[in-house]
Amino acid sequence: MHPTDAQLWAAALGYLLPLAIAVVAQPRWTGAVKGLLMLVVAAGDGLGTAYFNGEFGGKSIVTCLLVAAVAIGAAYHLLWKPSGIAPGIERATSTGGVPAQQPRGV
């Protein structure tokens, strides 16, 4: 089975969307709240890519939603979180005044 254009777009956007999520997410939020935000963004990604690629119907919508959710989760946990980029964006855009973390070894 070959992926459709909508599925490929959902995956491609999914790898970049953790950075946008990090702008909105706050460091003081629980993992559950951040997870719900990710699912809402994944729903928007999946629905949008299915719609704009002319595949807005039944199975293709569900597949795009799942591809987006997996891509966002994988990109965050394998790339953006370990690199420190997404947590750094969260701290930089925080409205709660979370203090910056001390570097290791200090």
Side-chain angles (χ1 to χ4, degrees):
M1 179 167 119
H2 298 288
T4 65
D5 286 345
Q7 293 166 358
L8 292 172
W9 273 109
L13 288 173
Y15 276 95
L16 298 175
L17 284 173
L19 299 175
I21 293 169
V23 170
V24 176
Q26 300 292 300
R28 65 183 180 277
W29 289 359
T30 65
V33 173
K34 290 179 183 181
L36 287 173
L37 176 62
M38 185 275 298
L39 288 175
V40 168
V41 171
D45 180 9
L47 292 171
T49 54
Y51 178 78
F52 287 112
N53 282 284
E55 298 180 22
F56 199 74
K59 183 180 173 183
S60 64
I61 292 174
V62 173
T63 305
C64 286
L65 290 170
L66 293 174
V67 166
V70 169
I72 290 171
Y76 178 75
H77 288 289
L78 297 174
L79 177 64
W80 301 115
K81 185 178 180 182
S83 69
I85 294 172
I89 292 171
E90 285 182 18
R91 284 190 303 274
T93 60
S94 175
T95 59
V98 175
Q101 292 181 350
Q102 292 291 329
R104 292 182 185 176
V106 175

